[in-house]
Amino acid sequence: MSRVLNSSSKRVNKVESTQQGLISIVVPVYNAEKLLKETLGCLQKQTYQNIEIILVDDGSSDNSAVICKEFSLFDSRFHYVYQENAGAGAARNHGLKTARGEFIIFLDSDDLFEDCLIEKLHSALEFTGSDVAVCRENGFVGTYSPDSSLDIEVGHNMPAGTYRPSDLGRAFFQSVTASPWDKMFRKSFIDEHGLEFQNLRFSNDAYFILSALFLANSITWIEDVLVHYRMGQGSSLRDKMYLEPLCDLVMIDALRSEFFSGKYENNRDMIASIDEYTVSLLFSSYSVIAFQSPEAAGVFINELKQKYLPIWNQRDCSNVKCGGFKSRIFLWAVVHLSLDNFIWALSAFEEDPIRNQNSKNAKRYFLRLALSSLPVSSSRIKHG
């Protein structure tokens, strides 16, 4: 899918066209040597020529720096930037501050991109005047092939079109995703709102992306699958959420603060949507952390009850109960069931039923949680 640059190539100098606005592509890089050349080759082949590709090396200890410098040596559109290891969020912020483009997109160093990715998202923004353009993506394992049966649909399920966030109303947060790599932003819009990625080990994308989406005057979705998300590269970062169990709480608090200080603070449908998103995140995070470490789960639930729920009730004038029936059930489970209930419900599974969820496991997990709330279950829980 891509051509790898080699040392015998001549330096490529692209002349900026007065007909095309400069687009900044920010790529955080951390120990990505095995897949980096293929990814950068996709960017080198973009049909939209007037781009700057900012490679932010987040303190890599492998040969990633060598590869980045090679591309920047032979193609003037590539720019290598180094920072001490601080995480993907900090790397994206570094690139954001460096970017000179009219538009900006954040891509990952191990994914693959169609050659027309930049051109099509840019065209969507130019044609509609939207602040954000979103394409479709799919996931793959191993070697990518357009005809592979392993291709897995991921990302949003929105029909193509241009929408104001309020058009989606109660379905807004359930219709968008927090992934950065399928979205292009108007840089002036990002600067106007002073948005930055959070410097968190987990969920460092979500605040920036979701805030940008609900702050946008309009968002354009296009039908084309332009990003191929590489799956199965070792264990996920979220498999170690227990190491820093408060990341999702910090993220959702910042997101709610941004939301309730803006134009939707009196929009009942949008409030219901963010409340449902909040509760769903709380339930899944608590379950994942409880599966990994009861001690970390105890830290999570204590912080939620003692700090964040009171803050949201007072600051947001919302007790996170504006969602639908399912959301209220989830909230009841998180707030009223003990940690022991969750541990007992999860003890029947060899794999995390939330992270490795299928309909059978999900129903079984919810049933065990319901059973754990019955008085006759208390002795069962205490004795395993």
Side-chain angles (χ1 to χ4, degrees):
M1 180 169 179
S2 61
R3 177 178 65 84
V4 176
L5 196 69
N6 60 62
S7 57
S8 62
S9 302
K10 293 182 179 179
R11 180 177 174 85
V12 179
N13 290 289
K14 300 296 182 179
V15 178
E16 293 187 6
S17 167
T18 57
Q19 303 299 315
Q20 293 183 314
L22 178 66
I23 297 175
S24 299
I25 303 171
V26 176
V27 183
V29 178
Y30 179 71
N31 289 350
E33 64 177 359
K34 292 181 180 179
L35 304 167
L36 186 57
K37 286 186 178 181
E38 188 177 17
T39 295
L40 299 188
C42 295
L43 301 182
Q44 191 178 44
K45 292 169 59 182
Q46 288 298 304
T47 55
Y48 189 96
Q49 297 284 300
N50 193 18
I51 56 178
E52 62 171 7
I53 304 157
I54 304 168
L55 308 174
V56 184
D57 180 1
D58 186 33
S60 297
S61 57
D62 64 0
N63 287 320
S64 293
V66 174
I67 297 169
C68 290
K69 289 175 181 177
E70 182 185 25
F71 272 83
S72 63
L73 178 63
F74 292 104
D75 189 331
S76 64
R77 297 172 301 169
F78 287 84
H79 306 280
Y80 174 74
V81 178
Y82 178 83
Q83 68 174 31
E84 294 292 334
N85 181 250
R92 291 192 178 99
N93 285 336
H94 198 148
L96 181 62
K97 291 173 183 176
T98 305
R100 301 176 296 118
E102 244 183 279
F103 307 92
I104 189 165
I105 186 170
F106 302 90
L107 302 177
D108 275 5
S109 61
D110 57 353
D111 295 334
L112 300 178
F113 316 106
E114 290 296 320
D115 298 347
C116 57
L117 166 70
I118 302 302
E119 179 181 2
K120 288 196 171 184
L121 287 178
H122 172 259
S123 294
L125 290 178
E126 287 284 72
F127 181 75
T128 63
S130 293
D131 293 318
V132 188
V134 189
C135 67
R136 294 192 182 280
E137 60 179 303
N138 60 15
F140 71 98
V141 178
T143 302
Y144 174 74
S145 168
D147 302 319
S148 173
S149 60
L150 293 177
D151 286 354
I152 303 163
E153 290 295 329
V154 294
H156 71 86
N157 57 2
M158 286 292 297
T162 298
Y163 307 86
R164 297 170 301 176
S166 58
D167 291 337
L168 304 180
R170 191 171 185 129
F172 178 79
F173 285 94
Q174 290 67 42
S175 301
V176 301
T177 70
S179 57
W181 47 80
D182 59 348
K183 303 172 180 72
M184 182 179 287
F185 305 90
R186 198 174 292 276
K187 180 69 159 48
S188 59
F189 158 73
I190 297 299
D191 293 341
E192 175 188 352
H193 293 282
L195 293 177
E196 291 187 342
F197 290 85
Q198 291 179 298
N199 191 17
L200 300 173
R201 182 168 186 165
F202 314 109
S203 302
N204 58 68
D205 301 330
Y207 165 76
F208 180 100
I209 301 299
L210 295 177
S211 292
L213 291 174
F214 70 68
L215 289 169
N217 289 318
S218 65
I219 307 163
T220 295
W221 277 270
I222 63 176
E223 284 289 349
D224 308 68
V225 176
L226 302 177
V227 175
H228 309 296
Y229 174 71
R230 193 184 298 272
M231 307 173 72
Q233 293 300 305
S235 60
S236 166
L237 271 178
R238 293 184 74 82
D239 289 334
K240 297 181 179 180
M241 285 176 63
Y242 68 95
L243 295 175
E244 294 184 25
L246 302 183
C247 287
D248 279 348
L249 292 178
V250 173
M251 184 281 293
I252 198 66
D253 180 59
L255 184 73
R256 291 179 65 86
S257 177
E258 185 76 56
F259 178 90
F260 281 95
S261 64
K263 55 187 174 182
Y264 300 117
E265 58 181 338
N266 296 314
N267 185 315
R268 294 177 63 86
D269 286 340
M270 292 287 284
I271 291 173
S273 182
I274 195 171
D275 278 355
E276 287 188 357
Y277 173 75
T278 299
V279 173
S280 176
L281 181 71
L282 295 177
F283 181 84
S284 62
S285 297
Y286 186 32
S287 296
V288 168
I289 296 171
F291 187 85
Q292 296 172 359
S293 165
E295 293 77 13
V299 172
F300 176 95
I301 197 64
N302 287 338
E303 194 79 355
L304 172 65
K305 290 181 178 180
Q306 296 175 15
K307 178 179 179 180
Y308 288 105
L309 286 178
I311 285 176
W312 299 338
N313 191 32
Q314 181 177 4
R315 183 193 67 204
D316 306 343
C317 298
S318 167
N319 55 10
V320 204
K321 292 183 179 178
C322 294
F325 178 74
K326 182 179 179 180
S327 178
R328 296 184 188 191
I329 292 296
F330 279 8
L331 182 62
W332 172 84
V334 170
V335 173
H336 295 289
L337 293 183
S338 69
L339 176 57
D340 284 342
N341 292 99
F342 277 82
I343 299 300
W344 179 79
L346 291 165
S347 65
F349 301 91
E350 293 184 3
E351 290 186 310
D352 181 349
I354 294 293
R355 294 296 316 284
N356 304 283
Q357 194 177 97
N358 58 51
S359 58
K360 183 178 179 181
N361 274 352
K363 290 176 182 177
R364 186 178 170 207
Y365 175 45
F366 298 146
L367 177 60
R368 285 179 66 85
L369 278 175
L371 289 174
S372 74
S373 68
L374 300 176
V376 294
S377 297
S378 59
S379 60
R380 184 188 301 121
I381 293 172
K382 289 179 181 177
H383 296 94

